[in-house]
Amino acid sequence: MDLARPEVKRPAARRRGSAARRRGSAARLGLMALPVAFFAVFFAYPVAAIVARGLNIDGVWQFGRIGEVLARSDVRQVLWFTTWQALASTALTLLIALPGAYVFARFDFPGKQVLRAVVTVPFVLPTVVVGSAFLAVVGRGGLTDDLWGVRLDTTVWAILLAHVFFNYAVVVRTVGGLWSQLDPRQEEAARMLGASRFAAWRTVTLPALAPAVSAAALMVFLFTFTSFGVVQILGGPAFSTLEVEIYRQTAEIFDLSTAAVLTLIQFAAVGAILALHAWTVRRREAALRLVDAATTARRPRGAGQWTLLGSVVVTATVLLVLPLAVLVERSLGAAGLGYYRALTRDDGGVFLVAPIEAVGNSLRYALAATVIAVVIGGLAAVALTRRDAGRWVRGFDALLMLPLGVSAVTVGFGFLIALDEPPLDLRASWILVPLAQALVGVPFVVRTMLPVLRAVDSRLREAAAVLGASPWRAWREVDLPMVRRALLIAAGFAFAVSLGEFGATVFIARPDNPTLPVAVARLLGRPGDLNYGQAMALSTILMIVCAVALLLLERLRTDRTGEF
C-alpha cells in the first residue's frame, strides 16, 4: 500500500516543476522586454538610418556598392590590418594582464586598492589623449628616443602597446573578479592527490575561469577591432583600421555610401565573432563553487610569489603609470598651474562656457549613463542566466555586445539623423548623451555579471521555485547575495566607460555642455601652447576624477554590509 503513494505524488511534483519552469520563462521574457526595446530604439534604429542614408540614393537602393567597395584593394588591406592587429593586441593583453588578475585576486598587500584604481584609470582616458601621451614616450623627442635613440611611432608596436595600456584593466577586473571568488580548496585538493601546481591550475582553475577569460578577450578584441584614436595618432598614414576609414570617408571625403558599406562589413564581422564566442562559452560553462572574495586573498608567501607581485607592480608602473605621469608633467609644463587657471576663463573661441564646466557635465552624464546601463544590463544578464535558453535568447546575448563593435561614428551620426522627429526628437535634450554612453556601458554590465550569475548552482533556484518562491524572490534570495560584488564591478566599469566615451559623444554634445573628452579633443585641435596645455590639464583632471571614483568603489570591498 505504501509503495503506491509516490506514484500519486510524482505527477503533482512534475506539474509544480512544469509550472515553475513556465513562470521562469515568462519572467525571462518580461526581463528582456526593456533591454530589447532600448536597443531597438537607441541602437538598431539609428544605425539602420545612417546605413540607409548611405545606400539609398534618390529612392534607389545601391546594393551594388557593397561589391564595388569589397573589390577595392585598399579596403581589403584595411580589413586585414584591422583583424590581425586586434588578434595580436588581444593575445598580448591576455599575456601581460592575466598575472595581474591572479595577483589582485589571490594576494593581499599594502596599496592594493590604490594600484587597482590606477590600472583602471587608463581605460577611461580619451584615445586622443593616450595617443599623444604615448607619442611623447616613444615618438620623436620622447623618452625612449632621448635615452636609447629608439622610436616606435608609426610602427605597429606602438599601437599594440597602447592597446594593452587601454585594456589591461578589462582583463584584471573581469577575470580577477571571478578568480577571487573561486574556492582555492578545490585546487589544493588536486595537489594533495599528486597533481603539480601547474597541472592543478590547468585542470581545476582554468576551466572555471574560461567564461570570464573569454568574456574579457571578447571585449578587448572588440575595442581593438574598432580602434580609432590610437591608430590615427601612433600609426600615421601607414596604418588604418575600419573605424579610421569610416571616419575618413564620413568626415573628410563625405562619401556616405562607402562609409555605410564599411559599417556593414564591420557589423557582419563583429556579429560572426560574437556568435562564435556565444557557442564556445556555452560549451564551457559550469556551476562553480563561489566563496567570499575576502577569504581567498592572503599575503604572498615565498620568493616566487613575492617575485610575481614585484613583476606585476613593475609592469603596471612602466606600461600604465609612465604615460599617466607624462600627462601630469605636460599639464604643468613651464607655466606651473597657469593652464589650470586658464580653464576657468571663457575665451569665446572653443566653447560657449569655461572649459572647467566640462568636469561637472561629465560627472552628471556618467552618473545618468551608469544608472541606465546597470538597469538595462542587469535585466538582460538575469534574463540570460539559464543555460538551456533557446537560440533566439542566446542570439540576444550576442547582440548586446554589438555596440562595442559598431563604429561610434556611425552611432553618433545615426543619433543626429534618426532622433530628430517627434516622438523621438531628442537632439536638444540632455538625455541624448547618457543614452549614447549607456550603449557602451551595457555590454560591460552584462559580460561582468553573466559569468557569476551562471556560476550559481541552478538547483538552488529550482528548489526555491518548487517551494513556491516567485522568480523575483528566488533571484533575490539565491542570486543577489552572490552577485553584489559583480554588480558593483559592473557599475564601476559603466561609470568609467561613460566618463571617457568620445566617438559618439563628440557629435551630440552641445557646445554649452561639453564633456571632458570632447573638450580635450577640441582643445587639441586648436594650435597654440595654451590650448595644448589646457587639454593636458583637463586630461589630468579626468584622470584624477576617475581615480577618486574608483578608489571610493574599492573601499566598498571592505564594507562588511556587502561584497564588491
Side-chain angles (χ1 to χ4, degrees):
M1 297 295 294
D2 293 336
L3 295 176
R5 291 180 181 175
E7 298 299 327
V8 176
K9 293 180 179 180
R10 284 174 186 168
R14 284 197 295 268
R15 285 196 298 270
R16 287 195 297 268
S18 299
R21 285 191 293 271
R22 287 195 297 270
R23 289 198 302 268
S25 298
R28 184 164 63 246
L29 293 176
L31 290 170
M32 291 180 60
L34 184 59
V36 168
F38 177 80
F39 273 82
V41 174
F42 298 111
F43 176 69
Y45 176 49
V47 171
I50 191 66
V51 171
R53 181 68 63 91
L55 294 181
N56 192 330
I57 301 175
D58 296 329
V60 179
W61 287 94
Q62 305 290 332
F63 292 112
R65 285 289 297 162
I66 298 177
E68 295 174 6
V69 173
L70 286 174
R72 291 165 47 178
S73 60
D74 58 332
V75 171
R76 292 198 300 269
Q77 183 177 357
V78 168
L79 182 59
W80 166 244
F81 174 75
T82 302
T83 303
W84 85 258
Q85 65 83 24
L87 290 171
S89 297
T90 302
L92 188 61
T93 302
L94 290 175
L95 179 66
I96 295 176
L98 280 177
Y102 174 79
V103 165
F104 282 109
R106 295 302 196 202
F107 292 167
D108 188 15
F109 54 90
K112 180 178 178 179
Q113 296 181 12
V114 175
L115 184 60
R116 191 194 300 268
V118 168
V119 301
T120 309
V121 169
F123 185 70
V124 305
L125 293 178
T127 55
V128 290
V129 176
V130 175
S132 299
F134 264 83
L135 198 62
V137 175
V138 301
R140 181 189 299 273
L143 183 63
T144 59
D145 191 16
D146 291 339
L147 294 179
W148 304 294
V150 175
R151 290 181 53 192
L152 298 178
D153 58 320
T154 68
T155 70
V156 73
W157 284 108
I159 296 173
L160 297 181
L161 289 175
H163 284 165
V164 175
F165 173 87
F166 263 121
N167 297 293
Y168 187 92
V170 175
V171 178
V172 167
R173 299 188 76 98
T174 303
V175 179
L178 180 59
W179 207 336
S180 65
Q181 291 184 281
L182 295 181
D183 192 345
R185 290 174 294 184
Q186 298 181 20
E187 188 173 321
E188 294 169 0
R191 296 201 61 194
M192 291 180 63
L193 294 174
S196 65
R197 183 183 297 273
F198 176 75
W201 179 84
R202 179 176 57 82
T203 58
V204 177
T205 304
L206 183 59
L209 288 175
V213 173
S214 180
L218 174 66
M219 286 188 285
V220 174
F221 182 86
L222 289 180
F223 274 116
T224 53
F225 189 82
T226 58
S227 183
F228 173 58
V230 167
V231 176
Q232 191 174 41
I233 294 176
L234 296 177
F239 302 103
S240 180
T241 59
L242 278 173
E243 187 82 358
V244 174
E245 192 64 21
I246 290 172
Y247 176 81
R248 191 174 73 89
Q249 295 291 337
T250 303
E252 297 179 4
I253 303 179
F254 304 107
D255 186 351
L256 287 182
S257 64
T258 300
V261 172
L262 295 177
T263 297
L264 291 176
I265 295 172
Q266 190 178 56
F267 190 86
V270 171
I273 295 164
L274 292 176
L276 177 62
H277 166 77
W279 179 76
T280 55
V281 169
R282 188 170 64 254
R283 290 174 61 90
R284 289 176 298 193
E285 285 171 348
L288 307 178
R289 183 176 180 181
L290 303 182
V291 297
D292 185 353
T295 64
T296 64
R298 53 177 173 78
R299 291 184 64 83
R301 300 172 184 171
Q305 292 187 357
W306 281 105
T307 300
L308 177 61
L309 174 59
S311 65
V312 169
V313 172
V314 170
T315 300
T317 301
V318 174
L319 183 62
L320 307 179
V321 177
L322 184 60
L324 300 180
V326 171
L327 289 181
V328 177
E329 185 273 333
R330 292 201 170 190
S331 72
L332 297 173
L337 297 177
Y339 294 143
Y340 290 89
R341 287 191 290 268
L343 294 176
T344 62
R345 299 191 297 267
D346 177 19
D347 62 359
V350 181
F351 311 107
L352 301 180
V353 295
I356 195 63
E357 292 193 17
V359 177
N361 295 334
S362 286
L363 290 176
R364 288 191 294 271
Y365 289 146
L367 287 174
T370 301
V371 172
I372 297 171
V374 168
V375 172
I376 299 297
L379 291 174
V382 174
L384 296 170
T385 299
R386 292 179 61 91
R387 303 182 189 91
D388 58 352
R391 291 184 177 179
W392 64 277
V393 176
R394 295 194 296 267
F396 176 67
D397 181 13
L399 289 176
L400 290 172
M401 298 295 293
L402 284 178
L404 299 182
V406 173
S407 169
V409 174
T410 301
V411 175
F413 270 125
F415 267 48
L416 293 179
I417 292 174
L419 305 180
D420 62 342
E421 296 179 357
L424 290 176
D425 188 1
L426 301 178
R427 288 180 301 174
S429 174
W430 67 273
I431 197 63
L432 198 61
V433 173
L435 288 172
Q437 295 173 343
L439 281 174
V440 183
V442 168
F444 281 93
V445 175
V446 174
R447 293 269 70 84
T448 302
M449 293 185 61
L450 197 55
V452 178
L453 281 170
R454 285 180 171 172
V456 179
D457 195 336
S458 60
R459 291 173 296 182
L460 297 176
R461 302 189 191 97
E462 294 170 358
V466 170
L467 292 174
S470 65
W472 161 246
R473 184 176 179 182
W475 184 87
R476 188 185 66 212
E477 299 291 341
V478 176
D479 296 71
L480 184 58
M482 302 297 294
V483 301
R484 284 176 183 152
R485 182 171 184 268
L487 181 62
L488 288 174
I489 291 176
F493 261 131
F495 182 79
V497 170
S498 299
L499 276 178
E501 204 287 322
F502 171 71
T505 307
V506 69
F507 296 103
I508 56 181
R510 296 185 303 181
D512 57 339
N513 286 289
T515 63
L516 276 170
V518 171
V520 170
R522 290 177 180 171
L523 286 168
L524 284 175
R526 299 189 70 194
D529 292 338
L530 179 60
N531 290 314
Y532 184 80
Q534 289 183 87
M536 295 300 100
L538 278 179
S539 300
T540 302
I541 293 173
L542 174 58
M543 179 182 67
I544 294 174
V545 169
C546 178
V548 170
L550 293 172
L551 281 173
L552 292 176
L553 197 60
E554 286 296 321
R555 291 185 64 86
L556 293 176
R557 303 182 74 252
T558 61
D559 185 355
R560 296 184 180 181
T561 63
E563 297 175 1
F564 165 46

Tab-separated table of all heavy atoms in Angstrom, residues 522-546:
chain	number	residue	atom	x	y	z
A	522	ARG	N	38.749	69.066	-28.668
A	522	ARG	CA	38.615	70.368	-29.317
A	522	ARG	C	39.786	71.277	-28.983
A	522	ARG	O	40.232	72.065	-29.838
A	522	ARG	CB	37.290	71.009	-28.912
A	522	ARG	CG	36.080	70.289	-29.512
A	522	ARG	CD	34.768	70.880	-29.064
A	522	ARG	NE	33.638	70.166	-29.673
A	522	ARG	CZ	32.370	70.350	-29.348
A	522	ARG	NH1	32.050	71.254	-28.422
A	522	ARG	NH2	31.413	69.657	-29.945
A	523	LEU	N	40.293	71.185	-27.769
A	523	LEU	CA	41.467	71.980	-27.421
A	523	LEU	C	42.704	71.482	-28.164
A	523	LEU	O	43.533	72.280	-28.605
A	523	LEU	CB	41.707	71.935	-25.912
A	523	LEU	CG	40.732	72.750	-25.065
A	523	LEU	CD1	40.875	72.407	-23.587
A	523	LEU	CD2	40.958	74.252	-25.280
A	524	LEU	N	42.840	70.161	-28.309
A	524	LEU	CA	43.975	69.623	-29.057
A	524	LEU	C	43.904	69.991	-30.536
A	524	LEU	O	44.937	70.084	-31.210
A	524	LEU	CB	44.015	68.097	-28.918
A	524	LEU	CG	44.522	67.532	-27.593
A	524	LEU	CD1	44.376	66.018	-27.572
A	524	LEU	CD2	45.972	67.929	-27.343
A	525	GLY	N	42.705	70.210	-31.038
A	525	GLY	CA	42.541	70.559	-32.444
A	525	GLY	C	42.879	71.992	-32.767
A	525	GLY	O	42.914	72.363	-33.944
A	526	ARG	N	43.132	72.816	-31.748
A	526	ARG	CA	43.488	74.219	-31.974
A	526	ARG	C	44.979	74.413	-31.758
A	526	ARG	O	45.569	73.814	-30.863
A	526	ARG	CB	42.719	75.140	-31.021
A	526	ARG	CG	41.217	75.068	-31.168
A	526	ARG	CD	40.568	76.173	-30.357
A	526	ARG	NE	40.800	77.489	-30.931
A	526	ARG	CZ	40.576	78.644	-30.302
A	526	ARG	NH1	40.136	78.629	-29.056
A	526	ARG	NH2	40.798	79.793	-30.898
A	527	PRO	N	45.619	75.216	-32.566
A	527	PRO	CA	47.061	75.440	-32.394
A	527	PRO	C	47.341	76.308	-31.165
A	527	PRO	O	46.458	77.004	-30.658
A	527	PRO	CB	47.455	76.166	-33.689
A	527	PRO	CG	46.199	76.869	-34.122
A	527	PRO	CD	45.069	75.965	-33.716
A	528	GLY	N	48.574	76.227	-30.711
A	528	GLY	CA	48.990	77.077	-29.594
A	528	GLY	C	49.294	76.265	-28.338
A	528	GLY	O	48.627	75.271	-28.044
A	529	ASP	N	50.314	76.722	-27.620
A	529	ASP	CA	50.714	76.042	-26.393
A	529	ASP	C	49.643	76.123	-25.318
A	529	ASP	O	49.475	75.194	-24.527
A	529	ASP	CB	52.017	76.646	-25.861
A	529	ASP	CG	53.204	76.345	-26.771
A	529	ASP	OD1	53.107	75.360	-27.536
A	529	ASP	OD2	54.205	77.093	-26.711
A	530	LEU	N	48.906	77.238	-25.279
A	530	LEU	CA	47.886	77.389	-24.237
A	530	LEU	C	46.780	76.354	-24.415
A	530	LEU	O	46.343	75.728	-23.435
A	530	LEU	CB	47.301	78.799	-24.275
A	530	LEU	CG	46.194	79.086	-23.242
A	530	LEU	CD1	46.708	78.897	-21.821
A	530	LEU	CD2	45.628	80.492	-23.436
A	531	ASN	N	46.320	76.182	-25.651
A	531	ASN	CA	45.276	75.180	-25.887
A	531	ASN	C	45.771	73.775	-25.570
A	531	ASN	O	45.051	72.971	-24.963
A	531	ASN	CB	44.791	75.250	-27.337
A	531	ASN	CG	43.986	76.508	-27.615
A	531	ASN	OD1	43.110	76.874	-26.850
A	531	ASN	ND2	44.295	77.175	-28.719
A	532	TYR	N	46.995	73.458	-25.975
A	532	TYR	CA	47.548	72.135	-25.688
A	532	TYR	C	47.707	71.930	-24.185
A	532	TYR	O	47.381	70.854	-23.657
A	532	TYR	CB	48.895	71.972	-26.380
A	532	TYR	CG	49.487	70.593	-26.223
A	532	TYR	CD1	49.061	69.533	-27.010
A	532	TYR	CD2	50.477	70.351	-25.276
A	532	TYR	CE1	49.595	68.267	-26.867
A	532	TYR	CE2	51.021	69.083	-25.118
A	532	TYR	CZ	50.578	68.054	-25.922
A	532	TYR	OH	51.106	66.794	-25.757
A	533	GLY	N	48.187	72.937	-23.492
A	533	GLY	CA	48.348	72.830	-22.048
A	533	GLY	C	47.017	72.658	-21.334
A	533	GLY	O	46.902	71.874	-20.382
A	534	GLN	N	45.988	73.383	-21.790
A	534	GLN	CA	44.661	73.212	-21.194
A	534	GLN	C	44.119	71.803	-21.459
A	534	GLN	O	43.448	71.204	-20.593
A	534	GLN	CB	43.695	74.250	-21.761
A	534	GLN	CG	43.953	75.669	-21.281
A	534	GLN	CD	42.910	76.633	-21.815
A	534	GLN	OE1	41.859	76.819	-21.230
A	534	GLN	NE2	43.219	77.241	-22.949
A	535	ALA	N	44.390	71.268	-22.653
A	535	ALA	CA	43.953	69.903	-22.950
A	535	ALA	C	44.616	68.909	-22.011
A	535	ALA	O	43.964	67.983	-21.496
A	535	ALA	CB	44.282	69.565	-24.405
A	536	MET	N	45.906	69.086	-21.750
A	536	MET	CA	46.592	68.196	-20.824
A	536	MET	C	46.084	68.383	-19.398
A	536	MET	O	45.983	67.417	-18.627
A	536	MET	CB	48.097	68.459	-20.869
A	536	MET	CG	48.758	68.119	-22.199
A	536	MET	SD	48.600	66.366	-22.680
A	536	MET	CE	47.246	66.455	-23.869
A	537	ALA	N	45.737	69.626	-19.028
A	537	ALA	CA	45.195	69.868	-17.691
A	537	ALA	C	43.840	69.199	-17.520
A	537	ALA	O	43.564	68.576	-16.487
A	537	ALA	CB	45.086	71.375	-17.444
A	538	LEU	N	42.974	69.309	-18.541
A	538	LEU	CA	41.680	68.635	-18.464
A	538	LEU	C	41.853	67.117	-18.432
A	538	LEU	O	41.111	66.409	-17.735
A	538	LEU	CB	40.810	69.024	-19.664
A	538	LEU	CG	40.059	70.354	-19.575
A	538	LEU	CD1	39.265	70.596	-20.849
A	538	LEU	CD2	39.134	70.391	-18.366
A	539	SER	N	42.830	66.603	-19.177
A	539	SER	CA	43.088	65.167	-19.154
A	539	SER	C	43.522	64.719	-17.767
A	539	SER	O	43.118	63.654	-17.285
A	539	SER	CB	44.162	64.813	-20.180
A	539	SER	OG	43.775	65.174	-21.480
A	540	THR	N	44.345	65.525	-17.112
A	540	THR	CA	44.776	65.186	-15.760
A	540	THR	C	43.596	65.223	-14.796
A	540	THR	O	43.486	64.363	-13.905
A	540	THR	CB	45.865	66.167	-15.299
A	540	THR	OG1	46.962	66.121	-16.225
A	540	THR	CG2	46.368	65.814	-13.905
A	541	ILE	N	42.718	66.200	-14.956
A	541	ILE	CA	41.522	66.258	-14.108
A	541	ILE	C	40.658	65.031	-14.319
A	541	ILE	O	40.140	64.424	-13.362
A	541	ILE	CB	40.728	67.547	-14.392
A	541	ILE	CG1	41.523	68.770	-13.936
A	541	ILE	CG2	39.367	67.512	-13.712
A	541	ILE	CD1	40.893	70.100	-14.318
A	542	LEU	N	40.489	64.632	-15.585
A	542	LEU	CA	39.717	63.420	-15.877
A	542	LEU	C	40.341	62.207	-15.219
A	542	LEU	O	39.644	61.358	-14.645
A	542	LEU	CB	39.624	63.219	-17.392
A	542	LEU	CG	38.972	61.924	-17.885
A	542	LEU	CD1	37.548	61.802	-17.359
A	542	LEU	CD2	38.993	61.865	-19.399
A	543	MET	N	41.650	62.122	-15.275
A	543	MET	CA	42.362	61.015	-14.646
A	543	MET	C	42.133	61.014	-13.138
A	543	MET	O	41.863	59.968	-12.532
A	543	MET	CB	43.853	61.109	-14.951
A	543	MET	CG	44.701	60.026	-14.321
A	543	MET	SD	46.450	60.259	-14.702
A	543	MET	CE	46.783	61.785	-13.802
A	544	ILE	N	42.199	62.178	-12.502
A	544	ILE	CA	42.029	62.269	-11.049
A	544	ILE	C	40.588	61.945	-10.658
A	544	ILE	O	40.341	61.231	-9.675
A	544	ILE	CB	42.428	63.672	-10.561
A	544	ILE	CG1	43.936	63.887	-10.770
A	544	ILE	CG2	42.055	63.851	-9.094
A	544	ILE	CD1	44.398	65.296	-10.462
A	545	VAL	N	39.623	62.487	-11.412
A	545	VAL	CA	38.212	62.205	-11.106
A	545	VAL	C	37.946	60.710	-11.171
A	545	VAL	O	37.286	60.133	-10.289
A	545	VAL	CB	37.291	62.968	-12.084
A	545	VAL	CG1	35.855	62.484	-11.959
A	545	VAL	CG2	37.364	64.459	-11.813
A	546	CYS	N	38.466	60.064	-12.206
A	546	CYS	CA	38.258	58.634	-12.340
A	546	CYS	C	38.938	57.872	-11.210
A	546	CYS	O	38.376	56.924	-10.652
A	546	CYS	CB	38.782	58.159	-13.686
A	546	CYS	SG	38.629	56.382	-13.934
